[in-house]
Amino acid sequence: MANAPVKKVPIHLQSSQNRLLIKNGRVVNEDGMEDADVYIEDGIIKQVGRNLIIPGGTRTIDATGLLVMPGGIDPHTHFELEMMGAKTADDFYKGTRAAVAGGTTTIIDFVLPEKGQSLVEAYNHWRQKADNKVCCDYALHVGVTWWSPSVKKEMQQLVEEHGINSFKMFMAYKDAWMLNDYELCQVMETCVELKALPLIHAENGSIIARNTEKLLAAGVTGPEGHALSRDEEVEAEAVNRACVIANQMNSPLYIVHVMSKSAVQALRLARTRQKQPLFGETLAATIGTDGSHYGNACFRHAAAHVLSPPLRARDTPAAIVDALAHDDLQIIASDNCTFHEKDKELGKDNFSKIPNGVNGVEDRMAILWQKAVNTGAMDPCRFVAVSSAAAARAFHLWPRKGRVAEGADADLALWDPRRERTVSAHAHHHAVDFNIFEGTHVIGSPQYVIVNGRVCLDDGELRVVEGFGKFLPTPPAAPAAYGARERTSDASDAPPADTPSPRASPVYTNGTP
Ligand SMILES: C[C@@H](CNC(N)=O)C(=O)O
Ligand SMILES: [Zn+2]
Ligand SMILES: [Zn+2]
Ligand SMILES: [Zn+2]
Protein backbone atom coordinates (compact mmCIF):
# COMPACT_ATOMS: atom_id res chain seq x y z
CA MET A 1 0.00 0.00 0.00
CA ALA A 2 1.84 3.14 -1.15
CA ASN A 3 2.54 5.93 1.36
CA ALA A 4 0.59 4.38 4.23
CA PRO A 5 1.45 6.33 7.38
CA VAL A 6 4.17 4.52 9.34
CA LYS A 7 2.62 3.36 12.60
CA LYS A 8 4.59 5.00 15.44
CA VAL A 9 4.86 2.61 18.35
CA PRO A 10 5.46 4.41 21.68
CA ILE A 11 8.97 3.69 22.97
CA HIS A 12 7.70 1.93 26.08
CA LEU A 13 5.77 -0.54 23.91
CA GLN A 14 8.59 -1.27 21.50
CA SER A 15 9.68 -4.76 22.43
CA SER A 16 13.00 -4.87 20.69
CA GLN A 17 15.96 -7.23 20.60
CA ASN A 18 18.14 -4.30 21.44
CA ARG A 19 17.11 -3.82 25.07
CA LEU A 20 18.15 -6.55 27.48
CA LEU A 21 18.39 -6.80 31.26
CA ILE A 22 20.51 -9.52 32.86
CA LYS A 23 19.20 -9.84 36.41
CA ASN A 24 20.45 -11.53 39.60
CA GLY A 25 23.75 -12.66 38.11
CA ARG A 26 27.26 -12.40 39.55
CA VAL A 27 29.45 -10.18 37.36
CA VAL A 28 33.02 -11.48 37.04
CA ASN A 29 35.85 -9.36 35.66
CA GLU A 30 39.60 -9.99 35.76
CA ASP A 31 39.93 -7.82 38.89
CA GLY A 32 36.84 -8.72 40.92
CA MET A 33 33.30 -10.06 41.23
CA GLU A 34 30.04 -8.40 42.28
CA ASP A 35 26.34 -9.25 42.44
CA ALA A 36 24.98 -6.82 39.88
CA ASP A 37 22.44 -6.48 37.10
CA VAL A 38 23.52 -5.52 33.59
CA TYR A 39 21.41 -3.37 31.27
CA ILE A 40 22.16 -3.45 27.55
CA GLU A 41 20.86 -1.22 24.77
CA ASP A 42 21.87 -1.13 21.09
CA GLY A 43 24.67 -3.62 21.64
CA ILE A 44 26.39 -1.62 24.40
CA ILE A 45 26.43 -2.15 28.16
CA LYS A 46 24.66 0.93 29.52
CA GLN A 47 24.38 0.17 33.25
CA VAL A 48 25.92 -2.26 35.75
CA GLY A 49 24.53 -2.23 39.29
CA ARG A 50 21.43 -2.93 41.43
CA ASN A 51 17.93 -1.40 41.29
CA LEU A 52 18.46 -0.15 37.76
CA ILE A 53 15.81 2.04 36.07
CA ILE A 54 14.80 0.10 32.96
CA PRO A 55 12.52 1.21 30.08
CA GLY A 56 9.51 -0.93 29.17
CA GLY A 57 9.77 -3.54 26.42
CA THR A 58 13.09 -4.76 27.81
CA ARG A 59 13.71 -8.51 27.74
CA THR A 60 14.88 -9.82 31.11
CA ILE A 61 17.14 -12.86 31.53
CA ASP A 62 17.12 -14.26 35.05
CA ALA A 63 20.80 -15.01 35.67
CA THR A 64 20.33 -16.42 39.16
CA GLY A 65 23.22 -18.82 39.81
CA LEU A 66 25.08 -17.73 36.67
CA LEU A 67 28.41 -15.91 36.34
CA VAL A 68 28.15 -12.91 34.00
CA MET A 69 31.56 -12.80 32.31
CA PRO A 70 33.03 -10.89 29.37
CA GLY A 71 32.64 -13.00 26.25
CA GLY A 72 35.75 -15.07 25.55
CA ILE A 73 38.41 -13.68 23.22
CA ASP A 74 40.33 -16.29 21.23
CA PRO A 75 43.37 -14.54 19.70
CA HIS A 76 44.52 -17.52 17.62
CA THR A 77 42.35 -19.16 14.95
CA HIS A 78 42.85 -20.38 11.37
CA PHE A 79 39.55 -20.51 9.55
CA GLU A 80 39.59 -21.23 5.80
CA LEU A 81 43.40 -21.46 5.83
CA GLU A 82 45.08 -23.27 2.95
CA MET A 83 48.27 -24.97 4.05
CA MET A 84 50.24 -28.14 3.29
CA GLY A 85 47.99 -28.89 0.33
CA ALA A 86 44.73 -28.72 2.28
CA LYS A 87 42.16 -26.19 3.47
CA THR A 88 40.97 -26.01 7.06
CA ALA A 89 37.52 -27.51 7.54
CA ASP A 90 36.04 -24.80 9.77
CA ASP A 91 35.20 -21.76 7.67
CA PHE A 92 34.46 -18.34 9.16
CA TYR A 93 30.80 -19.23 9.64
CA LYS A 94 31.17 -22.70 11.17
CA GLY A 95 34.25 -21.62 13.14
CA THR A 96 32.68 -18.53 14.71
CA ARG A 97 29.43 -20.44 15.27
CA ALA A 98 31.39 -23.00 17.26
CA ALA A 99 33.16 -20.18 19.08
CA VAL A 100 29.89 -18.59 20.21
CA ALA A 101 28.52 -22.00 21.25
CA GLY A 102 31.44 -22.26 23.68
CA GLY A 103 31.23 -18.70 25.07
CA THR A 104 33.76 -16.95 22.82
CA THR A 105 32.51 -13.69 21.26
CA THR A 106 35.66 -12.34 19.58
CA ILE A 107 38.26 -14.19 17.55
CA ILE A 108 41.52 -13.03 15.97
CA ASP A 109 42.51 -14.92 12.83
CA PHE A 110 45.78 -14.94 10.89
CA VAL A 111 46.32 -13.60 7.39
CA LEU A 112 49.12 -15.86 6.09
CA PRO A 113 50.51 -14.69 2.73
CA GLU A 114 52.46 -17.14 0.57
CA LYS A 115 56.16 -16.28 0.32
CA GLY A 116 56.40 -13.43 -2.20
CA GLN A 117 52.69 -12.51 -1.96
CA SER A 118 51.67 -8.94 -1.12
CA LEU A 119 50.58 -8.70 2.52
CA VAL A 120 47.87 -6.18 1.63
CA GLU A 121 46.52 -8.44 -1.11
CA ALA A 122 46.39 -11.36 1.34
CA TYR A 123 44.69 -9.11 3.93
CA ASN A 124 42.00 -8.16 1.39
CA HIS A 125 41.50 -11.83 0.57
CA TRP A 126 40.95 -12.66 4.25
CA ARG A 127 38.45 -9.82 4.63
CA GLN A 128 36.52 -11.19 1.64
CA LYS A 129 36.49 -14.66 3.20
CA ALA A 130 35.37 -13.47 6.63
CA ASP A 131 33.23 -10.33 6.48
CA ASN A 132 29.96 -11.89 5.36
CA LYS A 133 30.30 -15.08 7.37
CA VAL A 134 31.44 -14.26 10.90
CA CYS A 135 28.85 -14.72 13.67
CA CYS A 136 30.89 -12.59 16.10
CA ASP A 137 33.38 -9.74 15.87
CA TYR A 138 36.86 -10.55 14.59
CA ALA A 139 40.27 -8.97 14.17
CA LEU A 140 43.30 -10.05 12.16
CA HIS A 141 47.02 -10.58 12.67
CA VAL A 142 49.08 -10.47 9.48
CA GLY A 143 51.85 -12.98 8.86
CA VAL A 144 55.27 -11.78 7.70
CA THR A 145 56.30 -14.91 5.80
CA TRP A 146 59.03 -13.26 3.72
CA TRP A 147 61.04 -10.05 3.92
CA SER A 148 61.90 -7.17 1.60
CA PRO A 149 61.64 -3.37 1.66
CA SER A 150 58.19 -3.75 0.07
CA VAL A 151 57.08 -5.92 2.99
CA LYS A 152 58.21 -3.22 5.41
CA LYS A 153 56.19 -0.65 3.47
CA GLU A 154 53.10 -2.84 3.46
CA MET A 155 53.34 -3.39 7.21
CA GLN A 156 53.14 0.38 7.63
CA GLN A 157 50.23 0.56 5.22
CA LEU A 158 48.37 -2.16 7.11
CA VAL A 159 48.80 -0.34 10.42
CA GLU A 160 47.93 3.09 9.09
CA GLU A 161 45.10 2.20 6.70
CA HIS A 162 43.65 -1.15 7.79
CA GLY A 163 43.70 -1.23 11.58
CA ILE A 164 46.26 -4.01 11.92
CA ASN A 165 48.49 -3.83 14.99
CA SER A 166 50.05 -7.29 15.21
CA PHE A 167 52.33 -9.23 12.89
CA LYS A 168 53.22 -12.95 13.03
CA MET A 169 56.60 -14.52 12.26
CA PHE A 170 57.54 -18.19 12.01
CA MET A 171 60.83 -19.78 13.09
CA ALA A 172 59.53 -23.12 11.76
CA TYR A 173 57.93 -24.31 8.49
CA LYS A 174 61.25 -24.12 6.65
CA ASP A 175 60.84 -23.16 2.96
CA ALA A 176 57.20 -22.18 3.60
CA TRP A 177 56.89 -19.40 6.16
CA MET A 178 60.16 -19.47 8.13
CA LEU A 179 62.33 -16.34 8.49
CA ASN A 180 66.02 -16.29 9.43
CA ASP A 181 67.29 -14.45 12.49
CA TYR A 182 68.37 -11.36 10.54
CA GLU A 183 64.88 -11.08 9.05
CA LEU A 184 63.33 -11.57 12.48
CA CYS A 185 65.40 -8.59 13.71
CA GLN A 186 64.12 -6.44 10.88
CA VAL A 187 60.48 -7.39 11.37
CA MET A 188 60.67 -6.70 15.09
CA GLU A 189 62.39 -3.36 14.49
CA THR A 190 59.57 -2.44 12.12
CA CYS A 191 56.98 -3.45 14.73
CA VAL A 192 58.66 -1.13 17.23
CA GLU A 193 58.56 1.73 14.72
CA LEU A 194 54.87 1.05 14.04
CA LYS A 195 54.04 0.37 17.71
CA ALA A 196 52.67 -2.98 16.58
CA LEU A 197 53.00 -6.24 18.52
CA PRO A 198 55.15 -9.00 17.01
CA LEU A 199 53.91 -12.58 17.46
CA ILE A 200 56.10 -15.60 16.88
CA HIS A 201 55.85 -19.35 16.33
CA ALA A 202 58.96 -20.49 18.23
CA GLU A 203 60.50 -23.78 17.08
CA ASN A 204 63.88 -24.33 15.45
CA GLY A 205 62.83 -25.08 11.88
CA SER A 206 66.32 -26.18 10.74
CA ILE A 207 66.65 -28.84 13.42
CA ILE A 208 63.10 -30.03 12.63
CA ALA A 209 63.98 -30.33 8.93
CA ARG A 210 67.12 -32.36 9.56
CA ASN A 211 65.48 -34.59 12.18
CA THR A 212 62.58 -35.22 9.78
CA GLU A 213 64.93 -36.29 6.98
CA LYS A 214 66.69 -38.74 9.28
CA LEU A 215 63.47 -40.17 10.76
CA LEU A 216 61.96 -40.77 7.32
CA ALA A 217 65.22 -42.32 6.09
CA ALA A 218 65.07 -44.66 9.08
CA GLY A 219 61.51 -45.67 8.10
CA VAL A 220 59.67 -43.71 10.82
CA THR A 221 56.73 -42.37 8.79
CA GLY A 222 53.80 -42.43 11.27
CA PRO A 223 52.42 -39.50 13.32
CA GLU A 224 54.79 -40.40 16.16
CA GLY A 225 57.57 -39.11 13.90
CA HIS A 226 56.07 -35.62 14.11
CA ALA A 227 56.68 -35.47 17.86
CA LEU A 228 60.07 -37.15 17.59
CA SER A 229 61.28 -34.53 15.07
CA ARG A 230 60.65 -31.57 17.40
CA ASP A 231 61.01 -32.29 21.11
CA GLU A 232 60.79 -29.77 23.92
CA GLU A 233 64.32 -28.41 23.61
CA VAL A 234 63.70 -27.61 19.92
CA GLU A 235 60.87 -25.38 21.13
CA ALA A 236 62.65 -23.95 24.18
CA GLU A 237 65.74 -23.02 22.15
CA ALA A 238 63.59 -20.99 19.76
CA VAL A 239 61.65 -19.35 22.61
CA ASN A 240 64.91 -18.21 24.13
CA ARG A 241 66.32 -17.02 20.78
CA ALA A 242 63.12 -15.11 19.97
CA CYS A 243 63.24 -13.38 23.36
CA VAL A 244 66.91 -12.45 22.90
CA ILE A 245 66.21 -10.99 19.45
CA ALA A 246 63.23 -9.03 20.81
CA ASN A 247 65.32 -7.72 23.69
CA GLN A 248 68.14 -6.69 21.38
CA MET A 249 65.63 -4.89 19.16
CA ASN A 250 63.95 -3.40 22.24
CA SER A 251 60.69 -4.95 21.11
CA PRO A 252 57.76 -6.51 22.99
CA LEU A 253 56.99 -10.07 22.00
CA TYR A 254 53.99 -12.42 22.04
CA ILE A 255 54.90 -16.09 21.85
CA VAL A 256 52.04 -18.16 20.43
CA HIS A 257 51.18 -21.74 21.47
CA VAL A 258 53.70 -22.36 24.24
CA MET A 259 53.39 -26.15 24.46
CA SER A 260 55.95 -27.42 26.95
CA LYS A 261 57.42 -27.12 30.44
CA SER A 262 60.82 -26.41 28.85
CA ALA A 263 59.41 -23.48 26.88
CA VAL A 264 57.73 -22.08 30.01
CA GLN A 265 61.09 -22.29 31.77
CA ALA A 266 62.80 -20.41 28.93
CA LEU A 267 60.06 -17.77 29.03
CA ARG A 268 60.33 -17.42 32.79
CA LEU A 269 64.09 -16.88 32.50
CA ALA A 270 63.69 -14.36 29.67
CA ARG A 271 61.29 -12.33 31.78
CA THR A 272 64.05 -11.59 34.28
CA ARG A 273 65.91 -9.64 31.57
CA GLN A 274 63.28 -8.55 29.08
CA LYS A 275 62.84 -4.78 28.75
CA GLN A 276 59.54 -4.78 26.92
CA PRO A 277 56.34 -6.75 27.62
CA LEU A 278 56.55 -10.47 26.92
CA PHE A 279 53.31 -12.42 26.46
CA GLY A 280 53.08 -16.20 26.62
CA GLU A 281 50.06 -17.90 25.03
CA THR A 282 49.06 -21.52 25.39
CA LEU A 283 46.20 -23.57 23.96
CA ALA A 284 43.15 -25.53 25.08
CA ALA A 285 44.83 -28.57 23.50
CA THR A 286 47.89 -28.13 25.71
CA ILE A 287 45.89 -28.41 28.93
CA GLY A 288 43.11 -30.69 27.60
CA THR A 289 45.12 -33.58 26.19
CA ASP A 290 48.70 -34.80 25.62
CA GLY A 291 51.15 -36.47 23.26
CA SER A 292 50.25 -40.05 24.19
CA HIS A 293 47.79 -40.07 21.25
CA TYR A 294 50.62 -40.04 18.69
CA GLY A 295 51.13 -43.73 19.45
CA ASN A 296 47.49 -44.63 18.71
CA ALA A 297 47.26 -47.44 16.16
CA CYS A 298 44.47 -45.59 14.36
CA PHE A 299 46.09 -43.13 11.94
CA ARG A 300 43.02 -40.89 11.96
CA HIS A 301 43.19 -40.66 15.73
CA ALA A 302 46.93 -40.04 15.95
CA ALA A 303 47.06 -37.62 13.01
CA ALA A 304 44.13 -35.60 14.40
CA HIS A 305 46.43 -34.65 17.30
CA VAL A 306 49.23 -33.39 15.03
CA LEU A 307 49.91 -29.71 15.56
CA SER A 308 53.13 -27.71 15.99
CA PRO A 309 54.73 -27.57 18.46
CA PRO A 310 53.39 -31.05 19.28
CA LEU A 311 51.48 -32.18 22.35
CA ARG A 312 53.88 -33.27 25.05
CA ALA A 313 54.23 -35.72 27.96
CA ARG A 314 51.32 -36.59 30.23
CA ASP A 315 52.47 -34.28 33.03
CA THR A 316 52.36 -31.23 30.74
CA PRO A 317 48.65 -30.23 31.07
CA ALA A 318 48.89 -29.73 34.85
CA ALA A 319 52.18 -27.82 34.51
CA ILE A 320 50.71 -25.49 31.88
CA VAL A 321 47.60 -24.86 33.99
CA ASP A 322 49.93 -23.93 36.84
CA ALA A 323 51.88 -21.57 34.57
CA LEU A 324 48.62 -19.87 33.50
CA ALA A 325 47.48 -19.58 37.11
CA HIS A 326 50.77 -17.97 38.22
CA ASP A 327 51.16 -15.59 35.26
CA ASP A 328 54.09 -17.41 33.70
CA LEU A 329 51.64 -17.65 30.81
CA GLN A 330 49.04 -14.94 30.22
CA ILE A 331 46.61 -16.12 27.59
CA ILE A 332 44.84 -19.29 26.45
CA ALA A 333 43.82 -19.55 22.80
CA SER A 334 42.72 -22.42 20.59
CA ASP A 335 44.84 -22.29 17.43
CA ASN A 336 41.76 -23.86 15.85
CA CYS A 337 43.06 -25.33 12.60
CA THR A 338 40.92 -28.37 11.77
CA PHE A 339 41.26 -30.74 8.82
CA HIS A 340 38.96 -33.41 7.47
CA GLU A 341 40.15 -37.02 7.58
CA LYS A 342 40.93 -37.05 3.84
CA ASP A 343 43.28 -34.09 4.31
CA LYS A 344 45.07 -35.50 7.35
CA GLU A 345 45.61 -38.64 5.21
CA LEU A 346 47.90 -36.62 2.92
CA GLY A 347 50.48 -37.64 5.52
CA LYS A 348 49.51 -41.31 5.67
CA ASP A 349 52.98 -42.42 4.53
CA ASN A 350 54.98 -39.40 5.63
CA PHE A 351 54.23 -37.60 8.90
CA SER A 352 55.73 -34.34 7.61
CA LYS A 353 52.84 -34.14 5.12
CA ILE A 354 50.11 -34.30 7.78
CA PRO A 355 48.44 -30.86 7.80
CA ASN A 356 49.11 -29.39 11.22
CA GLY A 357 46.24 -28.38 13.46
CA VAL A 358 43.54 -29.35 15.93
CA ASN A 359 40.15 -28.11 17.14
CA GLY A 360 39.65 -25.93 20.22
CA VAL A 361 37.62 -22.79 19.49
CA GLU A 362 34.38 -24.28 20.87
CA ASP A 363 35.72 -26.14 23.90
CA ARG A 364 38.51 -23.72 24.96
CA MET A 365 36.63 -22.11 27.84
CA ALA A 366 34.94 -25.27 29.18
CA ILE A 367 38.24 -27.18 29.08
CA LEU A 368 39.97 -24.34 30.95
CA TRP A 369 37.13 -24.18 33.52
CA GLN A 370 37.30 -27.94 34.03
CA LYS A 371 41.10 -28.21 34.23
CA ALA A 372 41.81 -24.98 36.11
CA VAL A 373 38.81 -23.64 38.05
CA ASN A 374 37.20 -26.95 39.05
CA THR A 375 40.61 -28.16 40.24
CA GLY A 376 41.15 -25.02 42.31
CA ALA A 377 44.20 -23.94 40.28
CA MET A 378 42.65 -20.55 39.45
CA ASP A 379 39.63 -18.51 40.46
CA PRO A 380 36.95 -17.13 38.08
CA CYS A 381 38.73 -13.74 37.90
CA ARG A 382 41.94 -15.32 36.63
CA PHE A 383 39.80 -17.41 34.26
CA VAL A 384 38.40 -14.17 32.79
CA ALA A 385 41.89 -12.69 32.58
CA VAL A 386 43.42 -15.52 30.59
CA SER A 387 40.38 -16.32 28.42
CA SER A 388 39.39 -12.74 27.57
CA ALA A 389 40.84 -9.64 29.25
CA ALA A 390 44.56 -10.24 28.66
CA ALA A 391 44.00 -10.80 24.93
CA ALA A 392 41.87 -7.64 24.79
CA ARG A 393 44.72 -5.68 26.38
CA ALA A 394 47.45 -7.19 24.22
CA PHE A 395 45.59 -6.36 21.01
CA HIS A 396 44.22 -2.97 22.05
CA LEU A 397 40.59 -4.08 22.26
CA TRP A 398 40.31 -3.35 26.01
CA PRO A 399 38.10 -2.10 27.64
CA ARG A 400 35.71 -2.20 24.67
CA LYS A 401 36.13 -5.96 24.85
CA GLY A 402 37.21 -8.16 27.74
CA ARG A 403 35.27 -6.37 30.47
CA VAL A 404 31.72 -6.13 31.84
CA ALA A 405 31.50 -2.37 32.29
CA GLU A 406 29.44 0.61 31.14
CA GLY A 407 30.39 1.59 27.62
CA ALA A 408 31.82 -1.81 26.71
CA ASP A 409 30.43 -3.88 23.86
CA ALA A 410 27.66 -6.17 25.09
CA ASP A 411 29.64 -9.37 24.52
CA LEU A 412 28.86 -11.65 27.46
CA ALA A 413 29.03 -15.28 28.48
CA LEU A 414 26.48 -16.22 31.18
CA TRP A 415 28.33 -19.15 32.65
CA ASP A 416 26.59 -21.99 34.51
CA PRO A 417 29.26 -23.55 36.71
CA ARG A 418 27.06 -26.61 37.24
CA ARG A 419 26.15 -27.27 33.58
CA GLU A 420 27.56 -30.73 32.81
CA ARG A 421 28.27 -32.25 29.42
CA THR A 422 30.62 -34.70 27.74
CA VAL A 423 32.61 -33.27 24.84
CA SER A 424 32.03 -35.16 21.60
CA ALA A 425 32.34 -34.76 17.85
CA HIS A 426 28.75 -36.03 17.72
CA ALA A 427 27.58 -32.92 19.56
CA HIS A 428 30.06 -30.20 18.71
CA HIS A 429 29.48 -27.48 16.09
CA HIS A 430 32.71 -27.91 14.17
CA ALA A 431 32.73 -28.96 10.54
CA VAL A 432 34.95 -31.97 11.28
CA ASP A 433 34.09 -35.41 12.62
CA PHE A 434 36.87 -35.50 15.22
CA ASN A 435 37.33 -33.74 18.55
CA ILE A 436 40.64 -34.08 20.41
CA PHE A 437 38.75 -33.67 23.72
CA GLU A 438 36.35 -36.56 22.87
CA GLY A 439 34.84 -38.02 26.03
CA THR A 440 36.08 -35.30 28.36
CA HIS A 441 33.41 -34.64 30.98
CA VAL A 442 33.21 -30.94 31.75
CA ILE A 443 31.27 -29.23 34.52
CA GLY A 444 30.75 -25.60 33.58
CA SER A 445 29.50 -24.16 30.26
CA PRO A 446 27.64 -21.11 29.01
CA GLN A 447 23.83 -21.07 29.25
CA TYR A 448 23.53 -17.77 27.40
CA VAL A 449 25.99 -16.02 25.09
CA ILE A 450 25.36 -12.44 24.02
CA VAL A 451 27.11 -11.01 20.99
CA ASN A 452 26.91 -7.24 20.62
CA GLY A 453 23.61 -7.31 22.53
CA ARG A 454 22.05 -10.18 20.54
CA VAL A 455 21.25 -13.37 22.49
CA CYS A 456 23.03 -15.94 20.29
CA LEU A 457 23.03 -18.79 22.75
CA ASP A 458 19.61 -18.65 24.34
CA ASP A 459 19.17 -20.99 27.27
CA GLY A 460 21.33 -23.52 25.47
CA GLU A 461 19.75 -22.94 22.03
CA LEU A 462 22.28 -21.71 19.44
CA ARG A 463 20.85 -18.78 17.49
CA VAL A 464 23.82 -17.24 15.70
CA VAL A 465 23.42 -15.06 12.64
CA GLU A 466 25.89 -15.49 9.77
CA GLY A 467 27.52 -12.16 9.00
CA PHE A 468 26.34 -10.51 12.22
CA GLY A 469 29.91 -10.01 13.41
CA LYS A 470 32.13 -7.25 12.11
CA PHE A 471 35.83 -6.62 11.52
CA LEU A 472 37.59 -4.87 14.43
CA PRO A 473 40.31 -2.48 13.34
CA THR A 474 42.73 -2.46 16.26
CA PRO A 475 44.58 0.83 16.82
CA PRO A 476 48.33 0.92 17.53
CA ALA A 477 49.33 1.13 21.19
CA ALA A 478 48.72 4.52 22.83
CA PRO A 479 52.06 6.35 22.48
CA ALA A 480 52.72 6.56 26.23
CA ALA A 481 51.85 2.91 26.58
CA TYR A 482 54.51 1.51 24.34
CA GLY A 483 57.46 2.13 26.59
CA ALA A 484 60.02 1.76 23.80
CA ARG A 485 63.43 2.95 24.99
CA GLU A 486 66.46 4.10 23.12
CA ARG A 487 69.10 1.41 23.67
CA THR A 488 72.09 2.82 25.55
CA SER A 489 75.57 1.33 25.34
CA ASP A 490 75.74 1.43 29.13
CA ALA A 491 75.89 -2.23 30.18
CA SER A 492 73.97 -1.47 33.31
CA ASP A 493 71.08 0.00 31.36
CA ALA A 494 68.43 -1.16 33.74
CA PRO A 495 65.01 -0.17 32.42
CA PRO A 496 63.84 3.21 33.71
CA ALA A 497 61.31 3.11 36.51
CA ASP A 498 58.34 3.75 34.22
CA THR A 499 59.15 0.87 31.85
CA PRO A 500 56.19 -1.48 31.80
CA SER A 501 56.94 -4.72 33.61
CA PRO A 502 57.70 -7.64 31.25
CA ARG A 503 54.52 -9.28 32.45
CA ALA A 504 51.41 -8.70 30.42
CA SER A 505 50.66 -5.50 32.30
CA PRO A 506 47.92 -3.14 31.06
CA VAL A 507 50.60 -1.37 29.07
CA TYR A 508 48.57 -2.06 25.93
CA THR A 509 45.34 -0.43 26.96
CA ASN A 510 44.24 2.35 24.67
CA GLY A 511 45.58 4.86 27.14
CA THR A 512 42.75 3.99 29.52
CA PRO A 513 44.07 3.49 33.06
C1 LIG B 1 49.76 -22.74 10.94
C2 LIG B 1 49.30 -23.17 12.29
C3 LIG B 1 49.01 -24.64 12.31
N1 LIG B 1 48.62 -25.05 13.61
C4 LIG B 1 49.53 -25.63 14.40
N2 LIG B 1 49.82 -25.06 15.55
O1 LIG B 1 50.11 -26.64 14.06
C5 LIG B 1 50.30 -22.79 13.35
O2 LIG B 1 51.46 -23.22 13.30
O3 LIG B 1 49.93 -22.06 14.25
ZN1 LIG C 1 52.14 -21.84 14.83
ZN1 LIG D 1 40.49 -43.90 15.98
ZN1 LIG E 1 48.32 -21.10 14.58
Side-chain angles (χ1 to χ4, degrees), residues 263-431:
V264 169
Q265 188 58 29
L267 202 50
R268 195 182 285 129
L269 190 61
R271 273 194 211 292
T272 62
R273 58 176 193 258
Q274 217 71 13
K275 296 178 183 59
Q276 294 300 337
L278 184 54
F279 298 88
E281 170 203 276
T282 193
L283 305 179
T286 327
I287 67 167
T289 185
D290 60 50
S292 60
H293 294 275
Y294 295 127
N296 193 299
C298 167
F299 174 82
R300 172 66 177 133
H301 188 104
H305 290 79
V306 166
L307 82 157
S308 295
L311 297 166
R312 305 295 188 182
R314 287 180 190 276
D315 64 345
T316 304
I320 298 295
V321 165
D322 188 65
L324 269 174
H326 294 97
D327 202 30
D328 284 324
L329 293 173
Q330 287 72 41
I331 288 167
I332 187 164
S334 69
D335 196 359
N336 197 90
C337 193
T338 52
F339 292 97
H340 288 299
E341 181 167 6
K342 64 176 174 40
D343 293 320
K344 286 281 188 178
E345 288 192 339
L346 289 169
K348 195 111 175 87
D349 305 317
N350 175 345
F351 63 82
S352 71
K353 305 283 185 216
I354 299 173
N356 287 200
V358 296
N359 62 284
V361 78
E362 178 166 355
D363 299 310
R364 177 181 70 106
M365 293 173 78
I367 290 291
L368 177 66
W369 190 270
Q370 181 62 22
K371 302 291 183 181
V373 179
N374 289 346
T375 58
M378 67 172 73
D379 67 15
C381 294
R382 183 67 188 164
F383 173 89
V384 165
V386 302
S387 66
S388 182
R393 289 182 186 284
F395 300 109
H396 315 170
L397 296 171
W398 197 90
R400 176 182 174 189
K401 304 285 188 186
R403 187 161 189 80
V404 181
E406 291 176 15
D409 287 359
D411 286 347
L412 299 166
L414 275 54
W415 196 265
D416 180 350
R418 287 166 306 282
R419 195 177 182 88
E420 301 199 35
R421 66 188 174 95
T422 300
V423 177
S424 171
H426 301 298
H428 72 199
H429 298 88
H430 289 280

Side-chain angles (χ1 to χ4, degrees), residues 123 127 138-140 158-159 161-165 395-397 400 470-476 510:
Y123 162 83
R127 288 294 307 273
Y138 81 105
L140 291 171
L158 285 162
V159 166
E161 298 169 21
H162 300 285
I164 296 296
N165 81 83
F395 300 109
H396 315 170
L397 296 171
R400 176 182 174 189
K470 58 187 178 303
F471 175 66
L472 294 169
T474 44
N510 297 338

Side-chain angles (χ1 to χ4, degrees), residues 93-107:
Y93 168 57
K94 281 276 179 82
T96 52
R97 179 169 180 264
V100 172
T104 291
T105 56
T106 302
I107 59 107

Side-chain angles (χ1 to χ4, degrees), residues 76 78 81 83-84 88 110 112 168 170 172-173 177 201 203 226 230 256-257 259 281 283 306-310 334-337 339 355-358:
H76 192 156
H78 300 285
L81 171 67
M83 67 177 283
M84 298 174 77
T88 53
F110 286 83
L112 296 182
K168 168 83 171 287
F170 292 88
Y173 301 113
W177 298 325
H201 174 132
E203 286 185 288
H226 177 76
R230 50 219 298 166
V256 301
H257 50 47
M259 299 293 286
E281 170 203 276
L283 305 179
V306 166
L307 82 157
S308 295
S334 69
D335 196 359
N336 197 90
C337 193
F339 292 97
N356 287 200
V358 296

Side-chain angles (χ1 to χ4, degrees), residues 119-315:
L119 275 59
V120 174
E121 180 194 289
Y123 162 83
N124 288 327
H125 179 51
W126 248 259
R127 288 294 307 273
Q128 279 155 18
K129 288 193 282 189
D131 278 359
N132 300 325
K133 288 188 181 172
V134 288
C135 305
C136 65
D137 288 356
Y138 81 105
L140 291 171
H141 312 294
V142 174
V144 181
T145 53
W146 62 291
W147 183 251
S148 81
S150 71
V151 170
K152 183 179 177 77
K153 261 213 300 293
E154 286 204 310
M155 286 174 70
Q156 180 174 0
Q157 192 184 343
L158 285 162
V159 166
E160 292 173 357
E161 298 169 21
H162 300 285
I164 296 296
N165 81 83
S166 48
F167 293 95
K168 168 83 171 287
M169 293 159 278
F170 292 88
M171 300 168 84
Y173 301 113
K174 183 169 175 293
D175 305 330
W177 298 325
M178 181 173 148
L179 298 182
N180 65 43
D181 289 358
Y182 186 69
E183 291 163 333
L184 294 176
C185 290
Q186 293 175 292
V187 177
M188 287 192 205
E189 277 174 334
T190 306
C191 286
V192 173
E193 287 162 24
L194 298 172
K195 298 203 178 338
L197 183 60
L199 288 76
I200 203 155
H201 174 132
E203 286 185 288
N204 186 310
S206 301
I207 294 174
I208 292 165
R210 188 64 197 121
N211 282 346
T212 298
E213 289 161 3
K214 294 196 292 188
L215 283 160
L216 292 171
V220 179
T221 60
E224 74 282 3
H226 177 76
L228 292 171
S229 69
R230 50 219 298 166
D231 64 14
E232 289 200 20
E233 72 172 355
V234 175
E235 179 188 4
E237 180 278 331
V239 167
N240 178 63
R241 181 159 37 103
C243 291
V244 169
I245 293 172
N247 221 24
Q248 292 294 311
M249 299 301 121
N250 198 35
S251 170
L253 185 65
Y254 180 107
I255 301 192
V256 301
H257 50 47
V258 172
M259 299 293 286
S260 66
K261 300 194 299 292
S262 308
V264 169
Q265 188 58 29
L267 202 50
R268 195 182 285 129
L269 190 61
R271 273 194 211 292
T272 62
R273 58 176 193 258
Q274 217 71 13
K275 296 178 183 59
Q276 294 300 337
L278 184 54
F279 298 88
E281 170 203 276
T282 193
L283 305 179
T286 327
I287 67 167
T289 185
D290 60 50
S292 60
H293 294 275
Y294 295 127
N296 193 299
C298 167
F299 174 82
R300 172 66 177 133
H301 188 104
H305 290 79
V306 166
L307 82 157
S308 295
L311 297 166
R312 305 295 188 182
R314 287 180 190 276
D315 64 345

